[in-house]
Amino acid sequence: MSVITVERKILEKNDEIAGENRALFARHGVFVINMVSSPGAGKTSILERSLERLKGELKVAVIEGDVQTDLDAQRVARYGVPAVQIVTRGGCHLEANLVRDALEQIDLATIRILIIENVGNLVCPSNYDLGEACKIVVASTTEGDDKPLKYPSMFRNASVMIINKIDLVPYLDCNVQTLKQNALSINPALTFFLTSCRTGEGIAEWCEWLKAKADSLPS
Amino acid sequence: MSVITVERKILEKNDEIAGENRALFARHGVFVINMVSSPGAGKTSILERSLERLKGELKVAVIEGDVQTDLDAQRVARYGVPAVQIVTRGGCHLEANLVRDALEQIDLATIRILIIENVGNLVCPSNYDLGEACKIVVASTTEGDDKPLKYPSMFRNASVMIINKIDLVPYLDCNVQTLKQNALSINPALTFFLTSCRTGEGIAEWCEWLKAKADSLPS
């Protein structure tokens, strides 16, 4: 019982800080997304393709969450955007206070979009609000079409589902239509993008969505 | 601070029950593995191919862990083996007491191998001993070759690493040699198997290893 109480207190405290983060983002007119997925679904690759595409159009900053390394921040920094790495040292998800601390290194007045890449984990990050405008769940076609049913909380809490590695479908037993239907049975409001970071398919559409969201905010 | 204390108590209690489970498995001469991986790496598919192969040779039972569904136990039950599903209802890993409860439905006297398939999560299950002889980490080639560096705890705590979906390598940027080297830099004692559930590659070698381990136990 004490565990549940502690857990609830952690979540309440997290939600409070997430609310403060959200208010801060609103004051600066920054559109913030929280990218979540299994390990290796392609969050960082989508981010790289998106940064290439958005270059010169819209100022972006990135916060990278990782259990142990700063490999992802290194990859992202090559694109000339501010990139802050949070290393959780074994922690399985980002929390709002970690994002708040990382924000000390980002000048929100100079950016329009902040992309937070969470730890690769389809379970734990779903419960932790970071102050984002929305969660973007990336599902790789290689993971099969049943994942929304098996990890429903993440798909329920996301606004957008990016179905990545679409170029590999001919070599897999994954039915993209079934994957979409399974996701919609959990969350009928989901918006879908089908992408491949190898061929570039779908990246333009995804970036258009991102730009439209950022443009809709008062700056 | 109070959180850390509670966490330590949970782990201590878990380890105590895991020890009891391990003693029970030893009394019955049952070889027990704890299969861990990202969601969609292919744990259940490897299990299915292994059950096909071991049929008539060795009695196997399966405990399936899942956040929400019993889809995996349904898949496994088709092979005519005892299969118990643990649904964690949002929980991100199996714990020793859940396995102990599931054991009430399995007659250990009649089996030689127990395969526990954990929740798809490359972070949290690494800290929870279930009483297994060893952890088997499954990494899919589609996840890229950097995962051992990014999720070191799981690869450090595993005895065997199955590199699955090896048939997809021609279509990926994953270098299997780099993947192995990264894993060995974290855990030099790892034993590797390269498998494909589509072509059947590597399944025979993996099953031979499993049988040899079970045969080495006093029954």
Side-chain angles (χ1 to χ4, degrees):
Chain A
M1 265 312 182
S2 68
V3 182
I4 293 168
T5 310
V6 171
E7 173 87 351
R8 185 169 302 138
K9 275 189 185 157
I10 292 172
L11 283 172
E12 273 172 17
K13 183 68 188 163
N14 182 77
D15 286 353
E16 195 184 309
I17 299 172
E20 293 164 9
N21 289 349
R22 189 170 282 112
L24 186 66
F25 299 143
R27 273 204 300 284
H28 288 92
V30 176
F31 184 67
V32 182
I33 62 171
N34 177 2
M35 290 183 80
V36 291
S37 79
S38 305
K43 293 187 296 306
T44 316
S45 295
I46 292 171
L47 194 40
E48 291 179 296
R49 294 295 85 74
S50 304
L51 292 175
E52 273 171 10
R53 183 145 197 114
L54 294 170
K55 207 169 184 171
E57 290 202 60
L58 220 59
K59 289 270 188 187
V60 182
V62 175
I63 294 176
E64 286 289 344
D66 204 274
V67 172
Q68 195 64 54
T69 71
D70 65 352
L71 296 175
D72 290 347
Q74 289 178 34
R75 282 170 64 180
V76 164
R78 282 187 215 125
Y79 296 85
V81 300
V84 181
Q85 180 78 52
I86 301 172
V87 177
T88 64
R89 305 218 171 280
C92 52
H93 60 273
L94 291 182
E95 297 188 12
N97 64 326
L98 297 173
V99 170
R100 182 184 57 190
D101 294 348
L103 288 175
E104 287 175 15
Q105 298 173 58
I106 296 174
D107 183 1
L108 291 175
T110 65
I111 64 167
R112 299 290 307 284
I113 295 177
L114 173 64
I115 302 179
I116 304 171
E117 184 180 338
N118 218 310
V119 173
N121 183 331
L122 216 44
V123 188
C124 313
S126 74
N127 292 321
Y128 290 84
D129 183 10
L130 307 178
E132 70 269 8
C134 58
K135 284 191 175 65
I136 313 290
V137 62
V138 179
S140 163
T141 55
T142 60
E143 296 164 21
D145 43 38
D146 59 351
K147 293 304 161 290
L149 303 178
K150 298 180 74 176
Y151 303 86
S153 173
M154 195 64 96
F155 291 84
R156 195 174 298 124
N157 291 333
S159 306
V160 169
M161 177 171 167
I162 298 182
I163 302 177
N164 193 34
K165 308 194 190 182
I166 202 78
D167 56 303
L168 294 176
V169 169
Y171 315 109
L172 305 171
D173 301 316
C174 174
N175 184 320
V176 174
Q177 211 47 42
T178 305
L179 177 56
K180 278 185 170 182
Q181 280 162 4
N182 284 339
L184 288 171
S185 75
I186 300 293
N187 180 356
L190 273 174
T191 298
F192 294 94
F193 294 96
L194 274 63
T195 60
S196 163
C197 293
R198 282 168 69 94
T199 68
E201 183 180 340
I203 298 294
E205 292 79 358
W206 154 244
C207 287
E208 283 308 309
W209 181 90
L210 209 49
K211 275 166 56 183
K213 287 291 179 186
D215 286 342
S216 72
L217 294 184
S219 57
Chain B
M1 268 310 181
S2 68
V3 182
I4 293 168
T5 311
V6 170
E7 173 86 352
R8 186 168 303 138
K9 277 190 185 153
I10 292 172
L11 282 172
E12 273 171 19
K13 182 71 188 158
N14 181 78
D15 286 352
E16 194 183 309
I17 299 172
E20 292 163 10
N21 289 349
R22 189 170 283 111
L24 185 67
F25 298 144
R27 273 205 298 284
H28 288 92
V30 176
F31 185 68
V32 183
I33 62 170
N34 176 2
M35 292 183 78
V36 291
S37 80
S38 304
K43 292 186 298 306
T44 315
S45 295
I46 292 170
L47 194 40
E48 290 179 295
R49 295 295 84 74
S50 304
L51 292 174
E52 271 171 11
R53 183 146 197 112
L54 294 170
K55 206 169 186 172
E57 292 202 59
L58 221 59
K59 288 271 189 186
V60 182
V62 175
I63 295 177
E64 286 288 344
D66 205 275
V67 172
Q68 194 65 53
T69 71
D70 66 351
L71 296 175
D72 290 345
Q74 289 178 33
R75 280 170 65 180
V76 165
R78 281 188 214 123
Y79 296 85
V81 299
V84 181
Q85 179 79 51
I86 301 173
V87 177
T88 65
R89 304 219 171 279
C92 53
H93 59 273
L94 291 182
E95 296 187 14
N97 65 327
L98 297 173
V99 170
R100 182 182 59 189
D101 294 348
L103 289 175
E104 287 173 17
Q105 298 173 59
I106 295 174
D107 183 0
L108 291 176
T110 65
I111 63 167
R112 300 290 307 284
I113 295 177
L114 173 63
I115 301 178
I116 305 172
E117 184 181 337
N118 218 310
V119 173
N121 182 331
L122 216 44
V123 188
C124 312
S126 75
N127 292 322
Y128 290 84
D129 183 9
L130 307 178
E132 70 270 8
C134 59
K135 285 191 174 68
I136 313 289
V137 62
V138 179
S140 164
T141 55
T142 60
E143 295 164 23
D145 42 39
D146 59 350
K147 293 304 161 291
L149 304 178
K150 297 179 75 176
Y151 303 87
S153 174
M154 194 64 97
F155 291 85
R156 195 174 299 125
N157 291 331
S159 305
V160 170
M161 177 170 168
I162 299 181
I163 303 177
N164 193 33
K165 308 194 191 180
I166 201 78
D167 56 301
L168 293 176
V169 169
Y171 315 110
L172 304 172
D173 301 316
C174 175
N175 183 319
V176 174
Q177 211 46 42
T178 306
L179 177 56
K180 277 184 170 183
Q181 281 163 4
N182 284 338
L184 287 171
S185 74
I186 300 295
N187 180 356
L190 273 174
T191 299
F192 294 95
F193 294 97
L194 274 62
T195 59
S196 163
C197 294
R198 282 167 69 95
T199 67
E201 183 181 341
I203 298 295
E205 291 80 358
W206 154 244
C207 287
E208 283 309 311
W209 181 89
L210 209 49
K211 274 166 56 184
K213 288 290 180 188
D215 286 342
S216 71
L217 293 184
S219 58

PDB file of all heavy atoms in Angstrom, chain A residues 156-182:
ATOM      1  N   ARG A 156      -2.934   4.924 -26.293  1.00  0.00           N
ATOM      2  CA  ARG A 156      -4.089   5.708 -25.850  1.00  0.00           C
ATOM      3  C   ARG A 156      -3.676   7.145 -25.562  1.00  0.00           C
ATOM      4  O   ARG A 156      -4.423   8.083 -25.817  1.00  0.00           O
ATOM      5  CB  ARG A 156      -4.701   5.059 -24.595  1.00  0.00           C
ATOM      6  CG  ARG A 156      -6.088   5.548 -24.260  1.00  0.00           C
ATOM      7  CD  ARG A 156      -6.676   4.764 -23.093  1.00  0.00           C
ATOM      8  NE  ARG A 156      -6.812   3.344 -23.411  1.00  0.00           N
ATOM      9  CZ  ARG A 156      -6.279   2.349 -22.689  1.00  0.00           C
ATOM     10  NH1 ARG A 156      -5.586   2.611 -21.598  1.00  0.00           N
ATOM     11  NH2 ARG A 156      -6.462   1.102 -23.048  1.00  0.00           N
ATOM     12  N   ASN A 157      -2.465   7.326 -25.033  1.00  0.00           N
ATOM     13  CA  ASN A 157      -2.016   8.664 -24.623  1.00  0.00           C
ATOM     14  C   ASN A 157      -1.348   9.463 -25.747  1.00  0.00           C
ATOM     15  O   ASN A 157      -1.002  10.616 -25.547  1.00  0.00           O
ATOM     16  CB  ASN A 157      -1.045   8.548 -23.443  1.00  0.00           C
ATOM     17  CG  ASN A 157      -1.747   8.076 -22.178  1.00  0.00           C
ATOM     18  OD1 ASN A 157      -2.940   8.307 -22.009  1.00  0.00           O
ATOM     19  ND2 ASN A 157      -1.027   7.405 -21.304  1.00  0.00           N
ATOM     20  N   ALA A 158      -1.154   8.834 -26.900  1.00  0.00           N
ATOM     21  CA  ALA A 158      -0.504   9.540 -28.007  1.00  0.00           C
ATOM     22  C   ALA A 158      -1.546  10.225 -28.892  1.00  0.00           C
ATOM     23  O   ALA A 158      -2.692   9.785 -28.967  1.00  0.00           O
ATOM     24  CB  ALA A 158       0.316   8.558 -28.843  1.00  0.00           C
ATOM     25  N   SER A 159      -1.136  11.292 -29.550  1.00  0.00           N
ATOM     26  CA  SER A 159      -2.006  11.967 -30.518  1.00  0.00           C
ATOM     27  C   SER A 159      -1.682  11.543 -31.940  1.00  0.00           C
ATOM     28  O   SER A 159      -2.539  11.559 -32.809  1.00  0.00           O
ATOM     29  CB  SER A 159      -1.833  13.491 -30.410  1.00  0.00           C
ATOM     30  OG  SER A 159      -2.037  13.905 -29.090  1.00  0.00           O
ATOM     31  N   VAL A 160      -0.431  11.195 -32.145  1.00  0.00           N
ATOM     32  CA  VAL A 160       0.048  10.830 -33.486  1.00  0.00           C
ATOM     33  C   VAL A 160       0.776   9.496 -33.402  1.00  0.00           C
ATOM     34  O   VAL A 160       1.493   9.229 -32.431  1.00  0.00           O
ATOM     35  CB  VAL A 160       1.019  11.910 -34.033  1.00  0.00           C
ATOM     36  CG1 VAL A 160       1.726  11.422 -35.296  1.00  0.00           C
ATOM     37  CG2 VAL A 160       0.291  13.217 -34.286  1.00  0.00           C
ATOM     38  N   MET A 161       0.573   8.659 -34.415  1.00  0.00           N
ATOM     39  CA  MET A 161       1.327   7.414 -34.508  1.00  0.00           C
ATOM     40  C   MET A 161       2.094   7.438 -35.825  1.00  0.00           C
ATOM     41  O   MET A 161       1.495   7.520 -36.903  1.00  0.00           O
ATOM     42  CB  MET A 161       0.372   6.223 -34.475  1.00  0.00           C
ATOM     43  CG  MET A 161       1.053   4.883 -34.637  1.00  0.00           C
ATOM     44  SD  MET A 161      -0.148   3.554 -34.311  1.00  0.00           S
ATOM     45  CE  MET A 161       0.760   2.125 -34.927  1.00  0.00           C
ATOM     46  N   ILE A 162       3.416   7.365 -35.722  1.00  0.00           N
ATOM     47  CA  ILE A 162       4.251   7.264 -36.919  1.00  0.00           C
ATOM     48  C   ILE A 162       4.583   5.790 -37.125  1.00  0.00           C
ATOM     49  O   ILE A 162       5.160   5.149 -36.250  1.00  0.00           O
ATOM     50  CB  ILE A 162       5.557   8.077 -36.775  1.00  0.00           C
ATOM     51  CG1 ILE A 162       5.235   9.567 -36.586  1.00  0.00           C
ATOM     52  CG2 ILE A 162       6.453   7.871 -37.993  1.00  0.00           C
ATOM     53  CD1 ILE A 162       6.476  10.467 -36.488  1.00  0.00           C
ATOM     54  N   ILE A 163       4.165   5.248 -38.247  1.00  0.00           N
ATOM     55  CA  ILE A 163       4.491   3.861 -38.584  1.00  0.00           C
ATOM     56  C   ILE A 163       5.750   3.916 -39.440  1.00  0.00           C
ATOM     57  O   ILE A 163       5.712   4.343 -40.595  1.00  0.00           O
ATOM     58  CB  ILE A 163       3.319   3.176 -39.315  1.00  0.00           C
ATOM     59  CG1 ILE A 163       2.059   3.224 -38.423  1.00  0.00           C
ATOM     60  CG2 ILE A 163       3.683   1.734 -39.672  1.00  0.00           C
ATOM     61  CD1 ILE A 163       0.818   2.638 -39.063  1.00  0.00           C
ATOM     62  N   ASN A 164       6.869   3.507 -38.846  1.00  0.00           N
ATOM     63  CA  ASN A 164       8.186   3.693 -39.468  1.00  0.00           C
ATOM     64  C   ASN A 164       8.703   2.386 -40.083  1.00  0.00           C
ATOM     65  O   ASN A 164       8.167   1.314 -39.828  1.00  0.00           O
ATOM     66  CB  ASN A 164       9.163   4.227 -38.410  1.00  0.00           C
ATOM     67  CG  ASN A 164      10.456   4.742 -39.015  1.00  0.00           C
ATOM     68  OD1 ASN A 164      10.468   5.284 -40.126  1.00  0.00           O
ATOM     69  ND2 ASN A 164      11.559   4.565 -38.299  1.00  0.00           N
ATOM     70  N   LYS A 165       9.748   2.500 -40.880  1.00  0.00           N
ATOM     71  CA  LYS A 165      10.365   1.374 -41.598  1.00  0.00           C
ATOM     72  C   LYS A 165       9.357   0.724 -42.546  1.00  0.00           C
ATOM     73  O   LYS A 165       9.283  -0.502 -42.677  1.00  0.00           O
ATOM     74  CB  LYS A 165      10.944   0.328 -40.623  1.00  0.00           C
ATOM     75  CG  LYS A 165      11.870   0.953 -39.573  1.00  0.00           C
ATOM     76  CD  LYS A 165      12.703  -0.059 -38.823  1.00  0.00           C
ATOM     77  CE  LYS A 165      13.394   0.633 -37.636  1.00  0.00           C
ATOM     78  NZ  LYS A 165      14.256  -0.212 -36.854  1.00  0.00           N
ATOM     79  N   ILE A 166       8.585   1.586 -43.198  1.00  0.00           N
ATOM     80  CA  ILE A 166       7.525   1.138 -44.096  1.00  0.00           C
ATOM     81  C   ILE A 166       8.136   0.439 -45.321  1.00  0.00           C
ATOM     82  O   ILE A 166       7.487  -0.402 -45.966  1.00  0.00           O
ATOM     83  CB  ILE A 166       6.633   2.360 -44.476  1.00  0.00           C
ATOM     84  CG1 ILE A 166       5.261   1.923 -44.932  1.00  0.00           C
ATOM     85  CG2 ILE A 166       7.315   3.293 -45.450  1.00  0.00           C
ATOM     86  CD1 ILE A 166       4.355   1.540 -43.799  1.00  0.00           C
ATOM     87  N   ASP A 167       9.424   0.750 -45.614  1.00  0.00           N
ATOM     88  CA  ASP A 167      10.112   0.121 -46.749  1.00  0.00           C
ATOM     89  C   ASP A 167      10.355  -1.367 -46.533  1.00  0.00           C
ATOM     90  O   ASP A 167      10.607  -2.114 -47.479  1.00  0.00           O
ATOM     91  CB  ASP A 167      11.454   0.820 -47.010  1.00  0.00           C
ATOM     92  CG  ASP A 167      12.359   0.840 -45.775  1.00  0.00           C
ATOM     93  OD1 ASP A 167      11.912   1.368 -44.738  1.00  0.00           O
ATOM     94  OD2 ASP A 167      13.491   0.311 -45.827  1.00  0.00           O
ATOM     95  N   LEU A 168      10.285  -1.826 -45.259  1.00  0.00           N
ATOM     96  CA  LEU A 168      10.579  -3.233 -44.975  1.00  0.00           C
ATOM     97  C   LEU A 168       9.354  -4.140 -45.057  1.00  0.00           C
ATOM     98  O   LEU A 168       9.479  -5.366 -44.959  1.00  0.00           O
ATOM     99  CB  LEU A 168      11.203  -3.360 -43.570  1.00  0.00           C
ATOM    100  CG  LEU A 168      12.596  -2.725 -43.382  1.00  0.00           C
ATOM    101  CD1 LEU A 168      13.027  -2.841 -41.929  1.00  0.00           C
ATOM    102  CD2 LEU A 168      13.632  -3.402 -44.293  1.00  0.00           C
ATOM    103  N   VAL A 169       8.168  -3.553 -45.248  1.00  0.00           N
ATOM    104  CA  VAL A 169       6.928  -4.345 -45.228  1.00  0.00           C
ATOM    105  C   VAL A 169       6.951  -5.570 -46.157  1.00  0.00           C
ATOM    106  O   VAL A 169       6.489  -6.645 -45.771  1.00  0.00           O
ATOM    107  CB  VAL A 169       5.694  -3.442 -45.493  1.00  0.00           C
ATOM    108  CG1 VAL A 169       4.437  -4.255 -45.743  1.00  0.00           C
ATOM    109  CG2 VAL A 169       5.469  -2.514 -44.296  1.00  0.00           C
ATOM    110  N   PRO A 170       7.530  -5.440 -47.372  1.00  0.00           N
ATOM    111  CA  PRO A 170       7.542  -6.629 -48.254  1.00  0.00           C
ATOM    112  C   PRO A 170       8.261  -7.835 -47.660  1.00  0.00           C
ATOM    113  O   PRO A 170       8.024  -8.959 -48.082  1.00  0.00           O
ATOM    114  CB  PRO A 170       8.287  -6.131 -49.504  1.00  0.00           C
ATOM    115  CG  PRO A 170       8.159  -4.647 -49.477  1.00  0.00           C
ATOM    116  CD  PRO A 170       8.085  -4.247 -48.049  1.00  0.00           C
ATOM    117  N   TYR A 171       9.147  -7.590 -46.693  1.00  0.00           N
ATOM    118  CA  TYR A 171       9.941  -8.686 -46.121  1.00  0.00           C
ATOM    119  C   TYR A 171       9.405  -9.161 -44.777  1.00  0.00           C
ATOM    120  O   TYR A 171      10.029  -9.970 -44.096  1.00  0.00           O
ATOM    121  CB  TYR A 171      11.396  -8.230 -45.957  1.00  0.00           C
ATOM    122  CG  TYR A 171      11.916  -7.505 -47.171  1.00  0.00           C
ATOM    123  CD1 TYR A 171      12.146  -6.143 -47.143  1.00  0.00           C
ATOM    124  CD2 TYR A 171      12.136  -8.195 -48.363  1.00  0.00           C
ATOM    125  CE1 TYR A 171      12.591  -5.464 -48.269  1.00  0.00           C
ATOM    126  CE2 TYR A 171      12.585  -7.525 -49.492  1.00  0.00           C
ATOM    127  CZ  TYR A 171      12.808  -6.163 -49.436  1.00  0.00           C
ATOM    128  OH  TYR A 171      13.245  -5.500 -50.558  1.00  0.00           O
ATOM    129  N   LEU A 172       8.252  -8.639 -44.351  1.00  0.00           N
ATOM    130  CA  LEU A 172       7.727  -8.907 -43.008  1.00  0.00           C
ATOM    131  C   LEU A 172       6.337  -9.522 -43.063  1.00  0.00           C
ATOM    132  O   LEU A 172       5.683  -9.504 -44.098  1.00  0.00           O
ATOM    133  CB  LEU A 172       7.625  -7.590 -42.217  1.00  0.00           C
ATOM    134  CG  LEU A 172       8.886  -6.735 -42.080  1.00  0.00           C
ATOM    135  CD1 LEU A 172       8.523  -5.387 -41.460  1.00  0.00           C
ATOM    136  CD2 LEU A 172       9.929  -7.448 -41.242  1.00  0.00           C
ATOM    137  N   ASP A 173       5.890 -10.039 -41.896  1.00  0.00           N
ATOM    138  CA  ASP A 173       4.524 -10.524 -41.779  1.00  0.00           C
ATOM    139  C   ASP A 173       3.604  -9.464 -41.172  1.00  0.00           C
ATOM    140  O   ASP A 173       2.534  -9.781 -40.656  1.00  0.00           O
ATOM    141  CB  ASP A 173       4.504 -11.787 -40.904  1.00  0.00           C
ATOM    142  CG  ASP A 173       5.383 -12.886 -41.477  1.00  0.00           C
ATOM    143  OD1 ASP A 173       5.311 -13.107 -42.702  1.00  0.00           O
ATOM    144  OD2 ASP A 173       6.144 -13.509 -40.714  1.00  0.00           O
ATOM    145  N   CYS A 174       4.031  -8.218 -41.213  1.00  0.00           N
ATOM    146  CA  CYS A 174       3.244  -7.137 -40.611  1.00  0.00           C
ATOM    147  C   CYS A 174       2.237  -6.580 -41.614  1.00  0.00           C
ATOM    148  O   CYS A 174       2.597  -6.192 -42.725  1.00  0.00           O
ATOM    149  CB  CYS A 174       4.177  -6.016 -40.155  1.00  0.00           C
ATOM    150  SG  CYS A 174       3.326  -4.546 -39.560  1.00  0.00           S
ATOM    151  N   ASN A 175       0.958  -6.555 -41.210  1.00  0.00           N
ATOM    152  CA  ASN A 175      -0.094  -5.966 -42.036  1.00  0.00           C
ATOM    153  C   ASN A 175      -0.367  -4.552 -41.529  1.00  0.00           C
ATOM    154  O   ASN A 175      -0.881  -4.381 -40.411  1.00  0.00           O
ATOM    155  CB  ASN A 175      -1.342  -6.850 -41.958  1.00  0.00           C
ATOM    156  CG  ASN A 175      -2.454  -6.344 -42.865  1.00  0.00           C
ATOM    157  OD1 ASN A 175      -2.689  -5.135 -42.976  1.00  0.00           O
ATOM    158  ND2 ASN A 175      -3.140  -7.266 -43.520  1.00  0.00           N
ATOM    159  N   VAL A 176      -0.019  -3.550 -42.350  1.00  0.00           N
ATOM    160  CA  VAL A 176      -0.125  -2.154 -41.895  1.00  0.00           C
ATOM    161  C   VAL A 176      -1.577  -1.774 -41.609  1.00  0.00           C
ATOM    162  O   VAL A 176      -1.864  -1.017 -40.670  1.00  0.00           O
ATOM    163  CB  VAL A 176       0.513  -1.194 -42.928  1.00  0.00           C
ATOM    164  CG1 VAL A 176       0.285   0.254 -42.542  1.00  0.00           C
ATOM    165  CG2 VAL A 176       2.011  -1.463 -43.038  1.00  0.00           C
ATOM    166  N   GLN A 177      -2.509  -2.333 -42.391  1.00  0.00           N
ATOM    167  CA  GLN A 177      -3.922  -2.042 -42.169  1.00  0.00           C
ATOM    168  C   GLN A 177      -4.374  -2.576 -40.808  1.00  0.00           C
ATOM    169  O   GLN A 177      -5.087  -1.896 -40.065  1.00  0.00           O
ATOM    170  CB  GLN A 177      -4.751  -2.662 -43.319  1.00  0.00           C
ATOM    171  CG  GLN A 177      -6.007  -1.886 -43.658  1.00  0.00           C
ATOM    172  CD  GLN A 177      -5.785  -0.381 -43.792  1.00  0.00           C
ATOM    173  OE1 GLN A 177      -4.808   0.069 -44.367  1.00  0.00           O
ATOM    174  NE2 GLN A 177      -6.677   0.410 -43.198  1.00  0.00           N
ATOM    175  N   THR A 178      -3.937  -3.791 -40.472  1.00  0.00           N
ATOM    176  CA  THR A 178      -4.261  -4.388 -39.167  1.00  0.00           C
ATOM    177  C   THR A 178      -3.636  -3.571 -38.041  1.00  0.00           C
ATOM    178  O   THR A 178      -4.268  -3.331 -37.002  1.00  0.00           O
ATOM    179  CB  THR A 178      -3.725  -5.843 -39.104  1.00  0.00           C
ATOM    180  OG1 THR A 178      -4.247  -6.560 -40.218  1.00  0.00           O
ATOM    181  CG2 THR A 178      -4.122  -6.530 -37.815  1.00  0.00           C
ATOM    182  N   LEU A 179      -2.393  -3.151 -38.250  1.00  0.00           N
ATOM    183  CA  LEU A 179      -1.697  -2.326 -37.249  1.00  0.00           C
ATOM    184  C   LEU A 179      -2.492  -1.051 -36.973  1.00  0.00           C
ATOM    185  O   LEU A 179      -2.734  -0.687 -35.815  1.00  0.00           O
ATOM    186  CB  LEU A 179      -0.290  -1.994 -37.765  1.00  0.00           C
ATOM    187  CG  LEU A 179       0.594  -1.080 -36.917  1.00  0.00           C
ATOM    188  CD1 LEU A 179       0.779  -1.606 -35.506  1.00  0.00           C
ATOM    189  CD2 LEU A 179       1.951  -0.875 -37.581  1.00  0.00           C
ATOM    190  N   LYS A 180      -2.938  -0.389 -38.046  1.00  0.00           N
ATOM    191  CA  LYS A 180      -3.743   0.838 -37.884  1.00  0.00           C
ATOM    192  C   LYS A 180      -5.066   0.553 -37.163  1.00  0.00           C
ATOM    193  O   LYS A 180      -5.474   1.291 -36.269  1.00  0.00           O
ATOM    194  CB  LYS A 180      -4.074   1.428 -39.262  1.00  0.00           C
ATOM    195  CG  LYS A 180      -2.977   2.281 -39.862  1.00  0.00           C
ATOM    196  CD  LYS A 180      -3.533   2.869 -41.167  1.00  0.00           C
ATOM    197  CE  LYS A 180      -2.632   3.922 -41.743  1.00  0.00           C
ATOM    198  NZ  LYS A 180      -3.228   4.506 -42.976  1.00  0.00           N
ATOM    199  N   GLN A 181      -5.727  -0.533 -37.593  1.00  0.00           N
ATOM    200  CA  GLN A 181      -7.017  -0.858 -36.970  1.00  0.00           C
ATOM    201  C   GLN A 181      -6.847  -1.179 -35.491  1.00  0.00           C
ATOM    202  O   GLN A 181      -7.657  -0.765 -34.657  1.00  0.00           O
ATOM    203  CB  GLN A 181      -7.675  -2.037 -37.702  1.00  0.00           C
ATOM    204  CG  GLN A 181      -8.377  -1.603 -38.981  1.00  0.00           C
ATOM    205  CD  GLN A 181      -8.661  -2.766 -39.928  1.00  0.00           C
ATOM    206  OE1 GLN A 181      -8.408  -3.921 -39.605  1.00  0.00           O
ATOM    207  NE2 GLN A 181      -9.178  -2.446 -41.097  1.00  0.00           N
ATOM    208  N   ASN A 182      -5.791  -1.923 -35.153  1.00  0.00           N
ATOM    209  CA  ASN A 182      -5.533  -2.229 -33.742  1.00  0.00           C
ATOM    210  C   ASN A 182      -5.296  -0.947 -32.949  1.00  0.00           C
ATOM    211  O   ASN A 182      -5.779  -0.798 -31.823  1.00  0.00           O
ATOM    212  CB  ASN A 182      -4.326  -3.162 -33.614  1.00  0.00           C
ATOM    213  CG  ASN A 182      -4.661  -4.592 -33.987  1.00  0.00           C
ATOM    214  OD1 ASN A 182      -5.826  -4.994 -33.963  1.00  0.00           O
ATOM    215  ND2 ASN A 182      -3.650  -5.369 -34.337  1.00  0.00           N
TER     216      ASN A 182
END
